[in-house]
Amino acid sequence: QVQLVESGGGLVQAGGSLRLSCSTSGRTSSDALMGWFRRAPGKEREFVAAIRWSGGTRYYADSVKGRFSIASDNGKNMVYLQMNSLKPDDTAFYYCAADVTRYGGSYYAGSWGQGTQVTVSS
């Protein structure tokens, strides 16, 4: 079973940047899709971004395209989410996810980290 530990959350002003990190252990396949989801107060958890361990293929939610960037480091078993031009609407608990699947335009994950809080002040 994959274990995921997030770090890097915090409080930032609108327009600022944060980088989230996800440390993974118990690796999945080299072609597995790793990702980030988030849950804002009073809302359902939603997909943010995903990347294959093998590299190359990346997926983003429309709401973060052009502002967020997902990356992976296979050698360090790490997944990152660089968040730029942050908005108050980006305030949420962010979760790292493993074994992400895409189906019918939606994304699902097989394993979750415990999450890290990101708060964007206006």
Side-chain angles (χ1 to χ4, degrees), residues 47-49 59-65:
F47 168 76
V48 175
Y59 305 92
Y60 294 97
D62 288 343
S63 58
V64 306
K65 279 181 183 175

Side-chain angles (χ1 to χ4, degrees), residues 12-15 40 67 85-92 118-122:
V12 64
Q13 287 189 329
R67 300 188 298 122
S85 302
L86 282 161
K87 306 174 182 179
D89 283 350
D90 295 317
T91 295
V118 171
T119 302
V120 184
S121 63
S122 57

Side-chain angles (χ1 to χ4, degrees), residues 1 12 45 61 76 88 100 102 105:
Q1 185 174 352
V12 64
R45 184 153 50 186
K76 296 181 179 179
V100 176
R102 299 172 67 231

Side-chain angles (χ1 to χ4, degrees), residues 1 4 10 19 26 45 52 54 58 67 79 90 115:
Q1 185 174 352
L4 310 167
R19 188 176 83 153
R45 184 153 50 186
R52 296 212 176 273
S54 56
R58 291 169 170 82
R67 300 188 298 122
V79 181
D90 295 317

Side-chain angles (χ1 to χ4, degrees), residues 5-12 17-23 36 78-83 86 92-94 96 115-120:
V5 179
E6 303 93 336
S7 61
L11 173 64
V12 64
S17 299
L18 279 176
R19 188 176 83 153
L20 303 184
S21 300
C22 175
S23 175
W36 290 91
M78 297 290 293
V79 181
Y80 305 99
L81 184 68
Q82 177 66 43
M83 305 185 293
L86 282 161
F93 221 72
Y94 282 73
C96 183
T116 184
Q117 177 69 42
V118 171
T119 302
V120 184

